[in-house]
Amino acid sequence: MQGKKILLAVTGSIAAYKAAYLTRLLLKAGAEVQVLMTEAATAFISPLTLSTLSKKRVFTQVSSEQEWNSHVELGLWADAMIVAPATANTLARLAHGICDNMVAAVYLSARCPVFFAPAMDLEMWRHPTTCTNVEKLKSFGNHFIPVGFGELASGLTGEGRMAEPEEILTCLDHFFQKEIDLTGKKALVTAGPTYEPIDPVRFIGNHSSGKMGVAIAGELARRGAQVTLVLGPSRLSAVHPLVTTVRVTTAEQMHKAATACFSSMDIAVLAAAVADYRPTITASEKIKKSETALSITLEKTPDIAATLGKMKKAGQFIAGFALETNDELKNARDKLEKKNFDFIVLNSLRDKGAGFHLDTNKITILFRDNKRKDFELKSKLAVAVDIVDEIAAALKKL
Ligand code: PMT
C-alpha cells in the first residue's frame, strides 16, 4: 500500500464509525487517504474526525456557496476508490448513474478500480433490487468485498455487516500486490473480429466486440506488462499507457501484425475471433443484385494461433481461446493440442451470459496436464483478472 492514493467514500450507515479505523489502517500501511462523505454519513461520524485522522480536508459536497470541488480531478488522482460502508441507497444510485452527491460524482469520474464494502440490514441485502444493483455494479468491473455474518444494527442476526477494516485492507493489499507481478514481461493480445471483404461494401465477419481481449490487455498492463494489442475492427480502445494498439481489419493483417512481434514476447493471449475463411476473390466494385443465386468461393485464412504455436520457444507462453456451441470440452482440447497452446480458455454460447458482445463471460480453463478449472459467470473485467492470474502462476513454473 506504500504511496498508494486511496479515495475512501463513506456513506450513511451505522458502520460509518469503522471508517475512522480504516483510515488509520490505510495510513499506517503507507497510503495517502482522501475521504469523501455523503451528507447522510455525516450524521453517523463527523467529518472533523476523518479529516483529523487523514490529515486532509474531507469533501462532502460537489459545490457550495464558497467553492466548487473538482470531482474529476479526484477521480483521476486515485489508485483505488473504496466505498465503505456502501449503503443500499448508494449502490442503487451508482448502479444507475444518478449523480447527485460528491461520492457519486467522483465514482463516475474515477478511472481507478473501485471497491465496495456493503453494509445494511439482512432483508435489504437480500432484496432482489439490491442483488440486481450489486450484479450491475460487478458487471461494470467493480470489486465487492463480501459482507460479514453476525449481529446487525437492527438486532437481527444474519448477513449484511460491513467487512472489518482489517479485511478491507487485506483485499486492497492483495489487489496492489498482484499489480506488479508482470513488470518486465512483454505480452501480445489479439482481440475483436476480423472482416473479410466480399466487395467494397460487404464483408464476412462475426459478433466479437473486442471486450474480452481489451479487458485482458488492460489487466496485463495494469500488472506491469508491456502489451501489444492487435485489435480487429472494434469501437473499443485500451487506454493504459503500457498498451500499444495495432488496428487491423482482416485475418491476413492480424496474422502479419502478430507474427511480426511474437518472437520478442513472453506471453500471447489469442482472444480474437478470427474468420476461418475469406472470399477467394474480392470484387473491386459492388456486386449487383440479380435474379439468380450468388455463390462466393471461400478459401482458408492463415491460422494465427497455429503459426505462433509452431514459432513458440522455451519460456514463451500462449493462452488460446475456444468459442464453442457443442462438444465444448472435446473441441477445446483438440485446439489446445493442435495449436500448441499452454492453456485454452473455453467459452460456450450455450452458457447464458457468455460469449460475444456481452459485458460478462463464463469460462473454463483447460490445461495441458488434463486438469481444468471452471469459473462462475463474471464481468469480462473480472474474467480477465482470472485469466491473467492463471498466466502469472504458470509463468512462475516455466
Ligand atoms: O470480443 P467479445 O465480444 O468480448 O467476445 C469474446 C470472444 C467470444 C470473441 C472470446 O471470448 C473468444 O472466445 N475468442 C475466440 C473466438 C474464436 O474464434 O475461437 P475459435 O475456437 O474459432 O478459435 C480458436 C483459437 O484460435 C482462438 O484463440 C482464436 O483466436 C485462434 N484463431 C482462430 C482462427 C484463426 N485463423 N486464427 C487464430 O488465431
Side-chain angles (χ1 to χ4, degrees), residues 52-366:
T52 309
L53 289 171
S54 64
K55 299 185 182 65
K56 276 186 198 293
R57 199 185 133 198
V58 166
F59 293 101
T60 53
Q61 285 176 335
V62 180
S63 64
S64 64
E65 271 174 23
Q66 291 78 38
E67 61 181 336
W68 176 82
N69 297 312
S70 178
H71 48 280
V72 177
E73 250 172 49
L74 285 171
L76 299 180
W77 168 84
D79 295 308
M81 177 172 181
I82 165 91
V83 187
T87 58
N89 186 40
T90 292
L91 295 179
R93 179 179 276 124
L94 301 189
H96 292 88
I98 297 166
C99 189
D100 58 355
N101 66 27
M102 187 63 176
V103 169
V106 174
Y107 166 76
L108 286 179
S109 312
R111 285 215 198 137
C112 59
V114 181
F115 294 78
F116 287 91
M120 66 199 74
D121 212 70
L122 174 66
E123 302 305 334
M124 293 169 82
W125 176 243
R126 275 198 199 144
H127 196 282
T129 310
T130 307
C131 297
T132 307
N133 290 334
V134 169
E135 285 316 309
K136 200 162 184 191
L137 287 165
K138 279 185 183 170
S139 77
F140 301 152
N142 297 302
H143 305 266
F144 272 75
I145 300 174
V147 292
F149 183 95
E151 197 186 332
L152 301 163
S154 61
L156 295 172
T157 299
E159 272 197 333
R161 281 169 69 96
M162 186 176 97
E164 294 306 323
E166 289 86 351
E167 291 170 318
I168 296 174
L169 183 72
T170 306
C171 267
L172 290 172
D173 207 28
H174 181 62
F175 180 82
F176 284 120
Q177 267 177 27
K178 281 209 291 198
E179 190 171 284
I180 47 158
D181 58 356
L182 295 174
T183 301
K185 299 286 181 206
K186 284 184 159 190
L188 161 71
V189 179
T190 67
T194 64
Y195 289 175
E196 311 302 327
I198 297 169
D199 67 13
V201 296
R202 305 176 180 96
F203 58 84
I204 294 173
N206 59 65
H207 298 292
S208 170
S209 61
K211 282 181 189 169
M212 191 66 255
V214 169
I216 293 167
E219 177 60 15
L220 285 162
R222 200 184 59 73
R223 287 160 73 154
Q226 204 178 316
V227 182
T228 301
L229 170 65
V230 180
L231 182 59
S234 163
R235 288 186 298 115
L236 302 179
S237 50
V239 286
H240 198 286
L242 284 176
V243 181
T244 305
T245 305
V246 181
R247 291 197 181 260
V248 296
T249 304
T250 63
E252 182 81 48
Q253 291 166 357
M254 190 175 272
H255 183 265
K256 200 169 161 207
T259 50
C261 64
F262 179 68
S263 57
S264 65
M265 296 291 157
D266 302 289
I267 303 162
V269 186
L270 308 178
V274 187
D276 289 323
Y277 291 92
R278 66 185 170 203
T280 312
I281 296 164
T282 302
S284 58
E285 289 173 358
K286 184 179 172 189
I287 299 171
K288 296 282 175 290
K289 191 158 88 178
S290 75
E291 294 311 311
T292 54
L294 173 70
S295 298
I296 297 170
T297 307
L298 303 178
E299 64 183 11
K300 271 185 152 177
T301 56
D303 191 320
I304 304 158
T307 308
L308 301 187
K310 281 191 192 121
M311 288 170 73
K312 188 171 75 171
K313 300 226 166 65
Q316 287 186 304
F317 188 93
I318 304 183
F321 268 74
L323 176 68
E324 303 297 337
T325 56
N326 57 289
D327 297 328
E328 286 85 349
L329 289 170
K330 184 188 172 307
N331 291 340
R333 280 229 172 270
D334 284 352
K335 286 175 188 169
L336 173 71
E337 291 298 330
K338 258 195 203 146
K339 304 196 185 206
N340 196 20
F341 293 148
D342 293 281
F343 70 55
I344 192 158
V345 180
L346 163 66
N347 40 187
S348 169
L349 289 189
R350 284 204 285 190
D351 284 326
K352 203 166 167 260
F356 289 130
H357 234 283
L358 302 160
D359 290 327
T360 53
N361 206 358
K362 185 171 186 318
I363 62 160
T364 294
I365 298 184
L366 306 178

